[in-house]
Amino acid sequence: MTTIDRTVLVTGGAGFIGTNFIRHVLETRPDWHVVNLDWLTYAGNNKNFKSLPADWGERYTFVHGNICDSQLLETLFTRYRFDGIFHFAAESHVDRSITSPEAFIETNVLGTFRLLEASLNMWERGGRPNDFRFLHVSTDEVYGSLGEEGYFSEETAYDPSSPYSASKAGSDHLAKAYHRTFGLPVLVTNCSNNYGPYQFPEKLIPLMILNIVEQKPLPVYGDGHNVRDWLYVIDHCSALLHVFEKGRLGETYNIGGNSERRNIDVVRLLCDIVDKRLERCGDDVSQNLITFVKDRPGHDRRYAIDAGKLRQELGWQPHYQFEDALKETVNWYLDHPDWINDVRSGEYRQWIEKNYSKR
């Protein structure tokens, strides 16, 4: 029987980053028990944990519930007396925040508040244990937009541009305030754009992969010159464990992939990778499918992360090269058609039609 040294709560663990993080923890921390609390909204998929290895399954518990449910949180915190919290649960798609912002305020702000309250109550009842940690996972989008030069650092002023990034900025401030006011052992991370397996296919990279495969138009916002710093999700998971286990309490750590790319260049590279895999050439090359569409409101021009603090203090740096990890990502999607069919529900198809058809 496995000896459990830590029991941690992962919120939103059936989403893209949460799924990869839980699988990474179960693989690399054999004495941890993970409790996954997820409301299973459109982007959450509990089938991501289908057929876990036996020794992983013994250390994994799924709870279907909402982080805004104070009574449920009280029950879970009383039962498990968590040694740590990894807070991923969030509405995260910018385009959806523009059309339906209320859900972002409710989940990202109110939900974070309820989770902080439950954590503080448990921590104080338990005598304020020194090894407890609350890791709040956030985004570089809270910083707004960069010009052609410079990088986001932990000292960059917040300047959110969308309801999504504003709601995440609010949750960041709440987390830091609970450390300063109550002493709760909080850590905050702000990451750049993630990519990899299990990502819901409304985001740029999986959307383009699937449209390329099906030879559908490849909608690119504006002129395609918006720049993002791309972070492979497994590198992100590794960085989060570094912060949780070694980070200074009350601090923020930026996590970046050192892989700045224009959106149009990412799309063209995906075309080349998929075409090579599917042996397409000549008139069938997928770059012919690229279609420029009306830009979304408040579209930030450039994000770029300075992860020097994380590297210098905690010894972390990204392991994966962008081109290699992108090939792995393409292969995963092409090799998992059943997973794709499961998540591409009618609601997803309606969203894609609503978001892109009139641009």
Side-chain angles (χ1 to χ4, degrees):
M1 185 174 179
T2 303
T3 300
I4 300 300
D5 183 56
R6 278 184 178 273
T7 297
V8 299
L9 174 67
V10 177
T11 69
F16 162 48
I17 303 176
T19 289
N20 282 282
F21 179 75
I22 289 175
R23 297 180 73 93
H24 183 71
V25 166
L26 293 173
E27 179 179 6
T28 63
R29 300 296 186 274
D31 57 348
W32 285 25
H33 173 210
V34 177
V35 177
N36 176 11
L37 173 62
D38 199 296
W39 190 226
L40 296 180
T41 58
Y42 71 95
N45 185 359
N46 206 25
K47 293 182 180 179
N48 294 350
F49 301 98
K50 183 179 180 181
S51 302
L52 290 176
D55 60 323
W56 291 16
E58 294 175 358
R59 298 181 287 114
Y60 172 73
T61 301
F62 175 74
V63 178
H64 183 209
N66 194 323
I67 60 171
C68 293
D69 186 340
S70 298
Q71 185 173 357
L72 172 62
L73 293 178
E74 176 65 21
T75 299
L76 291 177
F77 277 73
T78 300
R79 176 180 179 182
Y80 290 104
R81 300 185 181 277
F82 297 111
D83 299 295
I85 312 297
F86 292 89
H87 179 32
F88 293 92
E91 296 285 346
S92 65
H93 195 254
V94 174
D95 290 328
R96 285 182 183 259
S97 82
I98 294 171
T99 59
S100 305
E102 185 172 353
F104 288 73
I105 305 305
E106 181 175 351
T107 298
N108 299 358
V109 180
L110 179 60
T112 298
F113 162 71
R114 295 269 167 81
L115 193 63
L116 286 164
E117 280 285 287
S119 299
L120 179 63
N121 292 337
M122 182 200 68
W123 183 62
E124 290 186 331
R125 287 197 306 264
R128 298 188 162 212
N130 292 329
D131 58 350
F132 176 78
R133 300 287 185 272
F134 184 111
L135 178 53
H136 175 64
V137 182
S138 191
T139 171
D140 60 357
E141 296 191 41
V142 298
Y143 297 126
S145 182
L146 284 168
E148 296 293 329
E149 304 293 333
Y151 298 87
F152 294 136
S153 74
E154 289 82 0
E155 286 71 44
T156 300
Y158 277 28
D159 187 25
S161 302
S162 68
Y164 161 60
S165 56
S167 68
K168 288 299 290 184
S171 66
D172 290 8
H173 290 316
L174 274 174
K176 297 294 283 285
Y178 267 67
H179 173 72
R180 293 180 181 177
T181 302
F182 306 110
L184 187 69
V186 166
L187 297 148
V188 175
T189 58
N190 296 89
C191 70
S192 56
N193 280 39
N194 279 222
Y195 65 101
Y198 299 105
Q199 189 171 27
F200 194 72
E202 69 185 9
K203 296 297 183 76
L204 177 68
I205 286 178
L207 174 65
M208 293 300 156
I209 292 171
L210 301 185
N211 279 15
I212 292 168
V213 170
E214 298 172 0
Q215 296 183 298
K216 294 180 178 179
L218 308 178
V220 177
Y221 285 138
D223 60 5
H225 288 193
N226 300 76
V227 175
R228 299 293 180 262
D229 176 13
W230 291 96
L231 174 66
Y232 190 49
V233 67
I234 304 304
D235 275 332
H236 187 194
C237 295
S238 169
L240 292 173
L241 287 176
H242 272 71
V243 173
F244 181 83
E245 294 173 335
K246 303 176 183 179
R248 289 186 290 131
L249 297 180
E251 292 292 316
T252 294
Y253 292 89
N254 283 348
I255 307 173
N258 296 334
S259 298
E260 283 188 64
R261 300 290 190 282
R262 298 185 308 174
N263 286 348
I264 186 61
D265 295 329
V266 173
V267 174
R268 287 169 177 160
L269 180 56
L270 284 169
C271 289
D272 294 342
I273 294 171
V274 177
D275 284 354
K276 184 174 182 180
R277 167 88 185 250
L278 300 182
E279 299 182 346
R280 290 178 181 165
C281 59
D283 293 340
D284 292 331
V285 295
S286 298
Q287 289 199 32
N288 294 334
L289 299 171
I290 294 174
T291 303
F292 294 96
V293 299
K294 182 180 178 181
D295 211 351
R296 72 183 180 206
H299 194 181
D300 293 329
R301 191 64 170 176
R302 175 174 171 259
Y303 302 148
I305 283 283
D306 176 0
K309 179 178 177 179
L310 181 57
R311 181 178 63 253
Q312 293 161 14
E313 289 192 12
L314 308 184
W316 178 88
Q317 59 184 1
H319 174 75
Y320 291 89
Q321 297 295 318
F322 179 71
E323 288 76 9
D324 295 336
L326 196 63
K327 290 177 184 177
E328 291 297 318
T329 301
V330 168
N331 289 336
W332 188 89
Y333 279 94
L334 268 58
D335 293 340
H336 290 80
D338 292 342
W339 183 90
I340 293 166
N341 290 334
D342 282 342
V343 302
R344 297 173 87 181
S345 65
E347 193 243 1
Y348 161 74
R349 293 183 185 279
Q350 291 168 16
W351 161 251
I352 293 297
E353 175 67 20
K354 178 181 179 181
N355 192 55
Y356 289 108
S357 63
K358 296 182 180 180
R359 290 188 181 271

